[in-house]
Structures are given as structure tokens and as C-alpha cells.
Amino acid sequence: MPPFDVPEGDPFGPHNLPYGVFSRSGSDARTVGVRLGDHVLDAGAAARALASPYASLLSRPTLNPLLAAGRTTWSDVRRALTAWVTVPSHQEAIAPFLHPLSSVTLHLPFEVADYVDFYASENHARNVGRIFRPDSADSLTPNWKHLPIGYHGRSGTVVVSGTDVVRPSGQRKAPADPAPVFGPSVRLDIEAEVGFVVGVPSPMGAPVPLSSFRDHVFGLCLLNDWSARDVQAWEYVPLGPFLGKSFATSVSAWITPLDALEDARVRPPERTHPLLPYLDDSADDEDPYGYDLRISVAINGHVVSEPPFSTMYWTAAQQLAHMTVNGASLRTGDLYGSGTVSGPSEGERGSLLELTWNGRDPLELPDGKRAFLEDGDEVTLTAWAPGPHGTRVGLGEVRGRVVPGA
Ligand code: MN
């Protein structure tokens, strides 16, 4: 089948056009690719063939120059790409630059600047509260409904989908143990999240308001925030997550531009507490900041959960506003995770911590019981969003296999 004849209903049709970075077999040269069906378009080569003014921007080994170019350019490039893959005369010119996905290697699509991870799902936060603080009157901490809680993570260990994850070692100590022990984590977990990618930087001292979200954030990806629960439990008081998280964070190879997700915008859940002005999005009925993304979590090919992103209490716009309200600057390539996505039902929880209730109720998988991840387990997150005219916008996948430590 010719590459342009993407089957009706394909989640990677011309309505999607996510960006990545790829190399062809036998070459180390990385360049920007755009996915169409089960092919990748060498966007820089196509742009050169068509004498496009964006040829230079699309012929780079990372997406960072495109990210930095700003919203007007993002829209212009997307409009050009849409024409190239849909107008017959252009199709002919770019056909030589479409490569089957199976023939290319996908790389980390952008150079990650700072990495922040949030905690924006009320269902997740309440589940964690019930598991770790069973004696507290409220499963949420007193600040939870007033600000999007987050921490700064480690950008240097963000890896692309398909990268193996080495089981981390560290200290752990159960409350009843007399002293900590050192060794491979025995409670290795996942967190199903969505990552937001910052394009346009902001200067120090200039908070980014809610209304400027789309001027700074280029798009989103799927993100798996691998977590060693035993390491985390012993180290996190009083300064928060550290080595229990920093060993690896996996992202999908495709960055979906927010421009492809216009039909997926939804109002976030009802706010139960009044918000300070810089976080108050109650007047944004016509221009909601929530996204309807349907995530699926599979272990060794077996679906264990389907977390709905539309249930997230805090939006990516609020997270960006909060992250900069103290005057902290943004850099091109900043990545921020939404926090574990968990819906209200048991089958919608985005971590094994919640799915097995901290190991108490192991999952029954075709290949055995799982409380936490075992060596050899492969975790895959996939997702889609409603697109125009009843289509689906595919968000790709983030996949990683657990391998034993050295
Ligand atoms: Mn997380």
C-alpha cells in the first residue's frame, strides 16, 4: 500500500503528525521525523525537496530548535506538513523520504533541560495517602487542593521508549526493621503519566500566567516515572523523592503537538476549594485546559489498567503557572510530568502501588502473580485522544523492560 493511503481510522493519519527524531539503518545521522501511519517522513529532506523555509529547522538532530521557534512557527510548520502529506503534487515530491517505521531507529526526540514531576491526580493522591498514612483523618495533605505539588527530578536519566531499565539498588528499611539494608529494590513500580514539553523559554523573574500556556508548551508525550517504592519510603522524609526516582524516566519517541489535540480539550474536574488568582481557571469554560487522553498500561502484553487523564485535578497550564510563579525561568526542552494518572475505579489506577494496594493484593497475570515488577517484565503505556470528525489521535507508546542490576 502506498504510504499516503493511511487506512481510515488510523490514529497516525494526517490529522496527527507527531514529531520524533530518527536515524536510518547503517547511519548515525539523526534528524527530525514525522509519523504518518506506519511510516516516518524525513521532514528535513522533504522540506529541502520542496524548498521550504523550514528546511534548516527540520534538519537537526533534536527537536529543540523547532521547540524554541515559537507558536506561530509551530502552526506554520504543521500547516506545511499537512499539505505535503495530503496534496497529491506534494506527495509525489516527498514520497522518497517516507521510510517504514520498522526500518528506522527512534531516539530521544529532544534534549531534556529541567525535569519536574507533579502529583495532580486526586484519586492517586488519596490512594497513596490511605496506603502510607492510614491513621490520618484526611487522605490528602492540607496543601493538596491549594497548589499542584511537585518535585525537581533528574533530566539526565530521561530515556526514550525501548530503553531497558536496570533495577536500581539502594537503602531500604521497613518500619519494624532495626537498621537499613542495601540491595536491589524489591518494590520496583511504574507511574503512568503524561509529560509536557516546553518550547519557548521565559526569563527569570517573570511568572508565566495560565493564559500563556500555549505560547510556551509545544506538546506532550507519554511518560513512565519508574519508582523504587522501598527506596522511596525510607528516603523521602523530609525533602521528597530522590534516588527512588532518579535512576530512570522513560518517554515516548513521539511528541504530539498540542495543535493536534484541539478536539481532546475538556474542562477539568469541579474545583472543591477556591483557588488563588494565579491558579484560578474557573473562567476558562470556553477554553478549557484539561485533556481527554485514554491511557492503557500493559505488563508483558497484558492490560492491567486504563487510567483516564481527563480526571486530573490540576491542569498542565496550572502546573506551568505554579512552576514559574516564584520567578523561576523556563528553558527550551523543559519536561514536566503530570503525576501518576489514576481514575476513580480499581481498573484505572496508574501504579502497581495502588493496583496491588502496596503488594497486599497481587495482580493475577497470565505469567504469574505480580505485587511489583520482576526482572524481565516489560511495561508498555499507550494512549489515544479524540480527534477531529470521530478520529483518534495516537500518542504512541512508552515501553521499557526491567533488567537485573550488574
Ligand atoms: Mn511521578
Side-chain angles (χ1 to χ4, degrees):
M1 186 164 52
F4 296 107
D5 292 343
V6 177
E8 182 102 348
D10 190 302
F12 295 96
H15 60 291
N16 187 344
L17 303 180
Y19 294 89
V21 164
F22 75 100
S23 59
R24 297 177 68 190
S25 61
S27 167
D28 291 334
R30 301 183 179 195
T31 193
V32 173
V34 173
R35 182 164 174 180
L36 181 68
D38 54 8
H39 283 70
V40 54
L41 174 69
D42 182 335
R48 290 192 295 278
L50 291 167
S52 160
Y54 306 115
S56 162
L57 210 51
L58 296 173
S59 302
R60 307 290 180 85
T62 76
L63 294 178
N64 290 54
L66 174 63
L67 298 180
R71 193 174 177 185
T72 304
T73 302
W74 303 339
S75 300
D76 290 349
V77 169
R78 181 170 167 79
R79 205 173 300 116
L81 283 163
T82 304
W84 299 350
V85 301
T86 56
V87 177
S89 58
H90 290 324
Q91 288 179 336
E92 200 176 319
I94 68 164
F97 310 117
L98 274 161
H99 308 291
L101 264 177
S102 56
S103 73
V104 305
T105 302
L106 299 173
H107 302 280
L108 188 64
F110 62 103
E111 194 180 326
V112 183
D114 290 296
Y115 168 51
V116 164
D117 194 31
F118 283 97
Y119 192 55
S121 159
E122 180 172 357
N123 298 297
H124 173 70
R126 287 196 183 279
N127 287 337
V128 171
R130 288 186 193 112
I131 290 169
F132 287 124
R133 297 183 304 277
D135 302 327
S136 296
D138 191 348
S139 53
L140 292 182
T141 51
N143 55 0
W144 201 91
K145 289 280 177 96
H146 297 279
L147 55 82
I149 293 175
Y151 66 93
H152 280 275
R154 192 162 189 86
S155 55
T157 51
V158 175
V159 295
V160 73
S161 175
T163 307
D164 284 346
V165 171
V166 177
R167 180 180 297 273
S169 284
Q171 285 196 27
R172 60 174 184 272
K173 179 191 167 305
D177 293 345
V181 296
F182 182 86
S185 169
V186 295
R187 293 187 170 231
L188 184 57
D189 197 359
I190 56 148
E191 293 192 341
E193 304 195 21
V194 173
F196 289 82
V197 180
V198 171
V200 173
S202 67
M204 276 180 75
V208 175
L210 284 175
S211 58
S212 296
F213 168 64
R214 293 291 294 273
D215 295 327
H216 290 273
V217 173
F218 172 80
L220 55 78
C221 58
L222 291 174
L223 185 150
N224 184 349
D225 175 22
W226 303 91
S227 301
R229 299 300 180 195
D230 40 5
V231 176
Q232 183 184 358
W234 171 229
E235 74 176 357
Y236 86 105
V237 178
L239 286 186
F242 188 36
L243 303 179
K245 299 277 196 176
S246 63
F247 56 95
T249 305
S250 299
V251 293
S252 52
W254 298 108
I255 308 300
T256 305
L258 295 186
D259 282 342
L261 295 167
E262 280 301 295
D263 291 87
R265 296 173 71 176
V266 290
R267 277 191 59 70
E270 192 74 24
R271 308 313 187 177
T272 52
H273 291 54
L275 293 173
L276 288 167
Y278 79 95
L279 291 172
D280 186 359
D281 60 1
S282 58
D284 296 309
D285 284 16
E286 301 302 317
D287 203 20
Y289 295 119
Y291 284 97
D292 178 9
L293 315 176
R294 324 284 178 88
I295 304 168
S296 184
V297 182
I299 299 176
N300 301 329
H302 180 77
V303 174
V304 297
S305 176
E306 294 188 308
F309 192 76
S310 59
T311 59
M312 298 299 270
Y313 191 87
W314 296 103
T315 69
Q318 289 171 319
Q319 291 170 334
L320 192 75
H322 187 63
M323 205 157 69
T324 57
V325 75
N326 64 347
S329 54
L330 296 173
R331 293 195 290 171
T332 298
D334 280 357
L335 169 69
Y336 61 103
S338 59
T340 310
V341 184
S342 290
S345 313
E346 283 189 24
E348 296 177 332
R349 295 169 178 169
S351 67
L352 287 173
L353 173 72
E354 298 162 86
L355 286 164
T356 70
W357 214 252
N358 203 17
R360 188 193 69 187
D361 308 321
L363 293 177
E364 302 275 0
L365 300 186
D367 52 353
K369 287 189 178 190
R370 286 296 182 292
F372 290 93
L373 295 172
E374 296 184 0
D375 290 343
D377 281 348
E378 184 175 68
V379 179
T380 307
L381 313 182
T382 53
W384 61 274
H389 316 297
T391 57
R392 291 182 174 195
V393 177
L395 301 187
E397 64 171 27
V398 59
R399 191 166 42 81
R401 197 166 56 96
V402 177
V403 298

